[in-house]
Amino acid sequence: MDYLENKKKRRVKKDIIYIIACVLCLVIGLLGGYFIHGNTSSDTNDATIYDEVVSYIEELYLDTTDSETEISERILSGMVSALGDPFSSYMTSEETEALNTSIDGSVEGIGVSYTTVDAGALIMHVYQDGPASNAGLLDGDIITHVEGTSIAGYSSDKIKNVIQGSSGTNVTLKVLRNGESKEFTLTRESVETSVYGEVRRLSSQSVGYLQITTFGSTSAELIEVYLQEFVEANVNAIIIDLRGNGGGYLNAVMDILDLFIDEGETLFSIADVNNNTSVYQASDREKYHFDKGYILVDSSTASASEVMSAGLKENLNYQLVGETTYGKGIVQTQITLSDGSTLKLTTQKWLTPDGNWIQGEGLIPDVEVNDITLSDFKIPDMSDSYQYDDVDDNISYMQLMLKQLGYDIDRTDGYFSKDTETVYKQFENDYNLEVDGVFDEDDNAILLSALTYQIYQLETDYSYEKVGELLK
């Protein structure tokens, strides 16, 4: 206590902050060690140190972060983060519920997935037969206002809170589409977002198209309904679209693979921390067979969707069309803690039916196709405006976007040249903006809107078209 009293007398605030910073670093390291090694005799001392560190934080730490998250939750998150595994995490009970709802794919809302941009929410996908689809919203639209209030700068959770709501209630949205503002009123309802299927015509043939966005607890049941429709329609080829599918529940993938693969064949295998391997095989249930199978994949096809891709490729010779997949060959276990929070921890690795581990490598497509996607572009994070003779990365991003839109621009190196100014003024004129040659936040929203409209609505889906060529 003499040490603390002397500190108080000297009132050297910086020293206290320095000590606290060190203490926080110790928390991460000590908690990581405590968790990993379990309850041994040496861990008793670790636990005592842990309690000491937590006590000092609770007593001394001056929180200047403006975080709404409790310090105890931040300590737990830091402990798991210190493992260095981006796929392991600590989640509060609320975060756990949100994750499970997202994976299961059935929510009450308008039926879109989105990502945040400066202007609001950029719609990445409009789910079929939902309120957004029925009202006419499109992939690439940017939601800028909800009930007349701008959502510029909102976090993803805040956007979700203002858009989602109980079934039967209405919500009015204002969106930017190709630089023009449009308004829609939608009636919220329960939307199934994990699976969509239909019979299509491609290359003068009937094909079954199945889009899977996540692997939830009911995905296998929903998929089987579509497979039955395909069989009734006498389709000989199936296209399974797994682009952008980041995974889901492993047991859901097992049930889906079991719909296709013959009894006794290996679906995948799992190896634990002690290298004990479990092999999962197809059951004797009814199977759905097609003469030809194609799986559309990209760099965001990850985890459980890679399990499915590998299982169909190595057992049934389904062809992968698109880009090399993400390469996530590990499995997380969700452990429910006493307060309802969750520890999501990497505990296993999975192997393809042929015994391959794809971690960090992904699955190489049989037919490589590079579609243009939004991920090909860096979106400017606007805090300043730019004009002639300025140099900045955001100017380079603007130049690349203009080039994609078909403007004849001489450079993409981030220098705002006279030619760039001339071309940019042409863009401003084309989209009814003030023609001043100044690239600012408002103009960036219009530019992004024009780009996303082209990518999502005007660009050819080359991967899908390639399947058409393969079917001939």
Side-chain angles (χ1 to χ4, degrees):
M1 289 301 294
D2 289 342
Y3 174 79
L4 292 178
E5 288 171 3
N6 289 336
K7 283 290 183 182
K8 291 176 182 177
K9 289 177 181 179
R10 290 201 301 267
R11 300 180 182 276
V12 183
K13 195 174 194 178
K14 290 183 179 179
D15 287 349
I16 294 179
I17 294 174
Y18 176 78
I19 291 170
I20 294 168
C22 293
V23 167
L24 287 173
C25 291
L26 283 171
V27 168
I28 294 173
L30 291 173
L31 292 187
Y34 175 76
F35 183 83
I36 292 170
H37 295 296
N39 186 21
T40 64
S41 59
S42 62
D43 291 332
T44 303
N45 184 58
D46 286 346
T48 302
I49 297 297
Y50 162 75
D51 290 336
E52 282 188 62
V53 171
V54 172
S55 176
Y56 278 124
I57 291 174
E58 291 176 343
E59 181 182 355
L60 297 176
Y61 177 52
L62 175 64
D63 190 359
T64 61
T65 63
D66 295 327
S67 174
E68 296 180 0
T69 306
E70 294 290 335
I71 290 178
S72 59
E73 293 175 353
R74 278 182 269 167
I75 291 173
L76 292 169
S77 296
M79 175 181 70
V80 182
S81 177
L83 296 174
D85 176 11
F87 306 111
S88 293
S89 62
Y90 167 80
M91 298 179 292
T92 66
S93 56
E94 293 80 8
E95 291 169 336
T96 302
E97 182 179 358
L99 175 65
N100 291 337
T101 298
S102 174
I103 292 175
D104 277 335
S106 182
V107 297
E108 290 188 340
I110 64 172
V112 300
S113 63
Y114 62 86
T115 187
T116 57
V117 293
D118 286 344
L122 169 60
I123 296 177
M124 304 297 289
H125 184 66
V126 176
Y127 294 100
Q128 295 287 336
D129 300 327
S133 173
N134 296 334
L137 269 72
L138 301 175
D139 295 355
D141 285 348
I142 300 175
I143 303 173
T144 60
H145 294 73
V146 179
E147 299 295 348
T149 300
S150 171
I151 60 171
Y154 277 27
S155 67
S156 181
D157 285 341
K158 191 171 183 180
I159 291 173
K160 180 183 71 174
N161 290 338
V162 296
I163 292 180
Q164 283 187 352
S166 301
S167 294
T169 60
N170 292 335
V171 60
T172 299
L173 308 176
K174 184 181 289 186
V175 306
L176 272 178
R177 176 182 299 168
N178 197 22
E180 295 184 7
S181 183
K182 298 178 179 293
E183 189 169 288
F184 299 85
T185 299
L186 300 79
T187 302
R188 300 179 178 101
E189 61 183 60
S190 181
V191 184
E192 173 54 53
T193 60
S194 67
V195 177
Y196 173 75
E198 64 180 0
V199 177
R200 294 181 174 181
R201 293 292 293 178
L202 184 62
S203 296
S204 302
Q205 299 182 42
S206 293
V207 299
Y209 174 79
L210 192 63
Q211 183 183 52
I212 308 173
T213 59
T214 185
F215 294 96
S217 56
T218 62
S219 295
E221 298 172 20
L222 296 169
I223 287 171
E224 185 169 17
V225 172
Y226 288 118
L227 294 179
Q228 291 170 346
E229 293 178 3
F230 297 164
V231 171
E232 292 171 3
N234 294 315
V235 303
N236 293 317
I238 185 172
I239 302 171
I240 302 175
D241 195 342
L242 296 179
R243 291 175 293 184
N245 184 326
Y249 300 134
L250 189 59
N251 59 348
V253 180
M254 181 174 64
D255 292 340
I256 295 168
L257 286 173
D258 201 25
L259 296 170
F260 295 88
I261 297 172
D262 290 337
E263 179 183 0
E265 297 294 331
T266 298
L267 306 177
F268 56 86
S269 57
I270 295 294
D272 64 18
V273 66
N274 297 314
N275 209 31
N276 297 315
T277 301
S278 300
V279 178
Y280 294 85
Q281 297 177 323
S283 72
D284 61 353
R285 61 143 300 137
E286 180 186 1
K287 309 298 177 178
Y288 296 86
H289 293 296
F290 302 93
D291 293 339
K292 297 179 180 179
Y294 305 92
I295 307 173
L296 305 183
V297 295
D298 62 14
S299 59
S300 297
T301 301
S303 191
S305 56
E306 292 176 295
V307 176
M308 181 169 178
S309 298
L312 294 175
K313 173 182 171 63
E314 295 182 3
N315 280 294
L316 301 176
N317 294 317
Y318 278 30
Q319 288 188 277
L320 306 187
V321 180
E323 301 172 352
T324 299
T325 62
Y326 183 86
K328 182 170 182 277
I330 51 180
V331 181
Q332 283 72 50
T333 299
Q334 287 190 203
I335 304 167
T336 302
L337 304 177
S338 59
D339 63 350
S341 59
T342 297
L343 175 63
K344 188 172 76 167
L345 192 67
T346 297
T347 56
Q348 301 164 314
K349 65 180 181 181
W350 66 269
L351 307 173
T352 72
D354 291 344
N356 300 314
W357 191 39
I358 67 163
Q359 178 69 13
E361 298 180 0
L363 298 167
I364 299 173
D366 299 286
V367 181
E368 185 172 0
V369 181
N370 293 313
D371 285 304
I372 296 174
T373 68
L374 190 62
S375 62
D376 295 324
F377 298 87
K378 182 71 179 290
I379 306 304
D381 184 9
M382 302 291 289
S383 56
D384 295 308
S385 59
Y386 307 95
Q387 55 190 330
Y388 169 67
D389 209 33
D390 286 341
V391 180
D392 194 88
D393 284 343
N394 281 339
I395 299 171
S396 174
Y397 307 149
M398 174 264 282
Q399 291 167 329
L400 289 167
M401 293 163 77
L402 288 172
K403 186 175 182 179
Q404 175 62 31
L405 290 171
Y407 288 91
D408 187 17
I409 196 160
D410 70 334
R411 63 200 304 158
T412 58
D413 60 359
Y415 173 62
F416 209 125
S417 64
K418 270 296 180 184
D419 180 78
T420 296
E421 182 184 55
T422 300
V423 172
Y424 189 71
K425 284 183 176 179
Q426 182 61 52
F427 168 78
E428 289 177 319
N429 181 70
D430 292 343
Y431 285 84
N432 300 313
L433 302 169
E434 180 183 356
V435 184
D436 57 6
V438 177
F439 179 45
D440 59 21
E441 184 175 355
D442 291 336
D443 286 5
N444 181 51
I446 302 299
L447 179 59
L448 179 59
S449 170
L451 177 71
T452 55
Y453 182 78
Q454 184 192 74
I455 290 174
Y456 288 100
Q457 302 302 323
L458 303 181
E459 276 291 334
T460 301
D461 186 342
Y462 293 107
S463 293
Y464 184 81
E465 292 296 318
K466 176 57 71 173
V467 173
E469 295 176 17
L470 296 172
L471 283 169
K472 292 179 182 179

